């Protein structure tokens, strides 16, 4: 089955009965401690119960925690997870009844979770996007990669490239589709490790495995490219260091000096960033311009040109991001987060669009994902024309 295995809780795709706390606890305890799960790793298939798959919470990524909290983060996660899940089951069965909320949950799960990958691939197979030269995707599951390769249109049209060191635990990876007609030989090499080795010494960059994919490829005309896909951390604090590391890698390696960069990313930038805690979108614009790049939005991105519009209910773990329905616009994530970057001496934008419907249309002031559009980030698309005309390149992110 391509469906994920889910712990018994209100907030995921678990489809078992959560009518009482006793039913929930019996299922939860069995799942966490007694259910063997097969996970594919670099060392092959490994079998472990879920509690052994939890990862330590590192000070390097969450500097507000203490060293002692880092040491006990695994048992704390297990205990807090149980408490959190129990509270949600109690809340739902108190404010509603199982006969009411469980069927509603199933409808949401069917449309936003179980059909998310098929609907995403349906959109990529439309004429609008299936003719792209480059598609950069972020937070992609291994299931999407497998299902994309099983689809005739996508498999015949694209090289589907995933990081060599994929994130099998979080299962969120940046990937790149290269059009076979444009890049006949696919990716020449992956240089992600070279980029990660180019971070400024002494600076802790908040990235996780699978966030970055950087590769080289040569198009049918013999033009060499560096092509990158990146998912920024929630606050966008890794975005500038990652771009700087990519540019340093290109500049410091003679074999890459003539390569042209095309970079599709979720920069996680903000219209009204908290100083020192979030990445401001205008400051980000100044940063990429300083590297001789521009974006699909130009040198100075419009802070009100949003690519996200979503807010979180209280039925999810990051309660600091939850808000009431009446506050979804004021307190939601409505920000200009997504970019396509390129060398301004090589390319210029001939046309571009953003899309939150799957129909090459963006409806402003509409919250998404919706039952028809499965992503919480809009699609960005740009047709790039060379400054000295030799051909066009289309890119989606």
């Amino acid at each position: 089955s391509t469906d994920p295995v889910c712990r018994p809780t209100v907030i995921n795709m678990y489809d078992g009965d959560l009518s009482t706390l006793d039913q929930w606890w019996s299922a939860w305890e069995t799942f966490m401690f007694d259910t063997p799960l097969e996970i594919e790793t670099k060392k092959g298939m490994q079998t472990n119960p879920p509690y052994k798959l939890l990862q330590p919470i590192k000070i390097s990524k969450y500097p507000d925690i203490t060293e002692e909290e880092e040491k006990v983060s695994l048992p704390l996660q297990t205990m807090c997870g149980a408490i959190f899940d129990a509270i949600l089951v109690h809340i739902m069965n108190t404010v509603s009844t199982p006969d009411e909320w469980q069927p509603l949950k199933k409808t949401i799960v069917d449309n936003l979770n179980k059909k998310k990958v098929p609907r995403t691939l349906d959109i990529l197979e439309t004429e609008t996007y299936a003719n792209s030269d480059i598609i950069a995707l972020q937070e992609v599951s291994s299931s999407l990669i497998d299902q994309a390769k099983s689809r005739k249109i996508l498999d015949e049209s694209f090289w589907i490239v995933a990081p060599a060191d994929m994130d099998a635990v979080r299962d969120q990876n940046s990937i790149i589709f290269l059009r076979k007609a444009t890049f006949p030989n696919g990716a020449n090499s992956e240089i992600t490790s070279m980029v990660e080795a180019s971070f400024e010494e002494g600076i802790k960059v908040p990235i996780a495995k699978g966030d970055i994919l950087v590769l080289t490829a040569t198009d049918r005309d013999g033009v060499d490219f560096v092509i990158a896909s990146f998912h920024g951390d929630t606050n966008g604090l890794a975005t500038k260091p990652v771009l700087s590391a990519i540019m340093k890698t290109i500049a410091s390696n003679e074999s890459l000096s003539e390569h042209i960069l095309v970079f599709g990313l979720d920069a996680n930038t903000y219209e009204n960033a908290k100083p020192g805690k979030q990445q401001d979108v205008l400051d980000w614009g100044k940063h990429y311009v300083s590297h001789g790049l521009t974006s699909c939005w130009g040198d100075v991105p419009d802070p009100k040109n949003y690519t996200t519009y979503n807010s979180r209910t209280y039925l999810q773990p990051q309660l600091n991001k939850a808000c009431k329905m009446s506050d979804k616009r004021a307190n939601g994530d409505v920000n200009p987060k997504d970019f396509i970057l390129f060398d301004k001496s090589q390319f210029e934008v001939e046309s571009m669009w953003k899309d939150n419907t799957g129909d090459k249309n963006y409806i402003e002031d509409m919250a998404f994902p919706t039952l028809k559009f499965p992503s919480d980030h809009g699609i960005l698309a740009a047709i790039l024309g060379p400054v000295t005309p030799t051909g066009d390149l289309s890119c989606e992110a």
Side-chain angles (χ1 to χ4, degrees):
S1 172
T2 57
D3 289 343
V5 179
C6 298
R7 82 176 192 274
T9 184
V10 172
I11 61 171
N12 64 19
M13 293 168 58
Y14 179 72
D15 57 6
D17 190 2
L18 300 177
S19 298
T20 69
L21 278 173
D22 286 341
Q23 285 176 296
W24 162 80
W25 173 244
S26 176
W28 197 95
E29 186 179 30
T30 299
F31 173 78
M32 286 297 292
F33 299 106
D34 299 325
T35 302
L37 299 180
E38 283 192 344
I39 303 294
E40 187 172 355
T41 70
K42 289 189 294 184
K43 298 179 180 179
M45 297 298 294
Q46 294 188 351
T47 302
N48 282 302
Y51 81 93
K52 288 190 175 181
L53 301 177
L54 298 175
Q55 301 295 302
I57 298 174
K58 298 286 190 179
I59 292 179
S60 58
K61 187 166 186 180
Y62 300 97
D64 289 340
I65 70 171
T66 65
E67 290 184 2
E68 183 61 28
E69 287 171 329
E70 180 180 293
K71 290 178 182 177
V72 298
S73 62
L74 290 176
L76 272 178
Q77 285 182 73
T78 308
M79 181 182 70
C80 290
I83 293 170
F84 176 76
D85 289 342
I87 290 172
L88 292 185
V89 172
H90 173 73
I91 288 174
M92 295 305 298
N93 288 328
T94 300
V95 302
S96 181
T97 66
D99 290 343
E100 290 178 330
W101 74 264
Q102 292 197 123
L104 178 60
K105 174 180 185 281
K106 184 178 185 301
T107 299
I108 295 171
V109 163
D110 284 346
N111 285 279
L112 294 184
N113 296 96
K114 290 186 177 181
K115 295 179 182 177
K116 180 176 182 177
V117 168
R119 178 57 184 147
T120 300
L121 298 177
D122 288 346
I123 292 172
L124 294 179
E125 284 185 331
T126 62
E127 185 177 352
T128 301
Y129 300 109
N131 292 320
S132 304
D133 295 308
I134 300 168
I135 300 176
L137 301 176
Q138 295 83 40
E139 294 190 283
V140 172
S141 66
S142 56
S143 174
L144 185 145
I145 297 169
D146 292 340
Q147 290 185 53
K149 291 179 178 179
S150 71
R151 293 216 179 187
K152 188 173 188 293
I153 291 175
L154 296 177
D155 185 56
E156 290 184 354
S157 299
F158 294 100
W159 305 102
I160 300 172
V161 187
D165 189 17
M166 284 185 61
D167 172 18
V169 178
R170 290 185 314 144
D171 201 21
Q172 296 178 350
N173 299 278
S174 295
I175 70 171
I176 294 170
F177 287 25
L178 296 176
R179 187 164 186 78
K180 291 181 177 179
T182 306
F183 299 95
N185 297 317
N188 295 332
S189 63
E190 181 182 341
I191 59 171
T192 306
S193 60
M194 294 169 62
V195 171
E196 292 177 347
S198 297
F199 289 137
E200 187 176 343
E201 191 172 348
I203 302 297
K204 294 178 180 178
V205 181
I207 61 167
K209 183 188 294 187
D211 283 344
I212 308 173
L213 173 61
V214 189
L215 55 84
T216 63
T218 304
D219 75 4
R220 59 181 174 240
D221 297 316
V223 178
D224 293 323
F225 287 85
V226 168
I227 302 169
S229 178
F230 170 63
H231 167 245
D233 61 296
T234 299
N235 294 318
L237 299 181
T239 301
K240 286 167 60 175
V242 166
L243 176 58
S244 294
I246 291 173
M247 300 307 291
K248 180 180 177 182
T249 301
I250 294 172
S252 60
N253 289 270
E254 187 176 349
S255 62
L256 301 175
S257 61
E258 299 300 319
H259 285 59
I260 300 171
L261 175 66
V262 176
F263 187 6
L265 70 157
D266 164 12
N268 267 325
T269 46
Y270 291 82
E271 177 186 10
N272 298 301
K274 297 174 183 176
K277 294 187 176 181
Q278 294 176 324
Q279 179 57 57
D280 176 77
V281 68
L282 291 176
D283 178 68
W284 162 237
K286 293 176 182 176
H287 183 74
Y288 64 67
V289 167
S290 73
H291 285 292
L293 306 177
T294 190
S295 80
C296 56
W297 307 120
D299 289 354
V300 182
D302 180 356
K304 295 186 180 299
N305 199 346
Y306 308 125
T307 59
T308 63
Y309 187 142
N310 59 77
S311 57
R312 304 197 187 198
T313 71
Y314 288 87
L315 295 180
Q316 47 87 32
Q318 293 180 284
L319 296 180
N320 59 309
K321 297 181 180 180
C323 68
K324 299 178 181 178
M325 183 175 179
S326 58
D327 296 331
K328 68 178 182 179
R329 177 63 179 82
N331 295 336
D333 179 8
V334 186
N335 283 291
K337 291 195 165 186
D338 300 278
F339 290 80
I340 298 170
L341 303 183
F342 51 91
D343 187 331
K344 65 195 304 181
S345 70
Q346 299 287 338
F347 289 116
E348 58 189 5
V349 175
E350 293 189 349
S351 65
M352 71 151 299
W353 64 90
K354 58 181 184 177
D355 182 354
N356 64 356
T357 64
D359 299 321
K360 199 179 177 181
N361 182 36
Y362 192 95
I363 301 174
E364 300 288 352
D365 295 321
M366 181 184 77
F368 59 97
T370 65
L371 296 183
K372 292 186 177 180
F373 187 79
S375 176
D376 59 356
H377 285 249
I379 302 170
L380 283 190
I383 296 176
L384 306 180
V387 174
T388 303
T390 56
D392 292 341
L393 187 73
S394 62
C395 180
E396 274 74 41

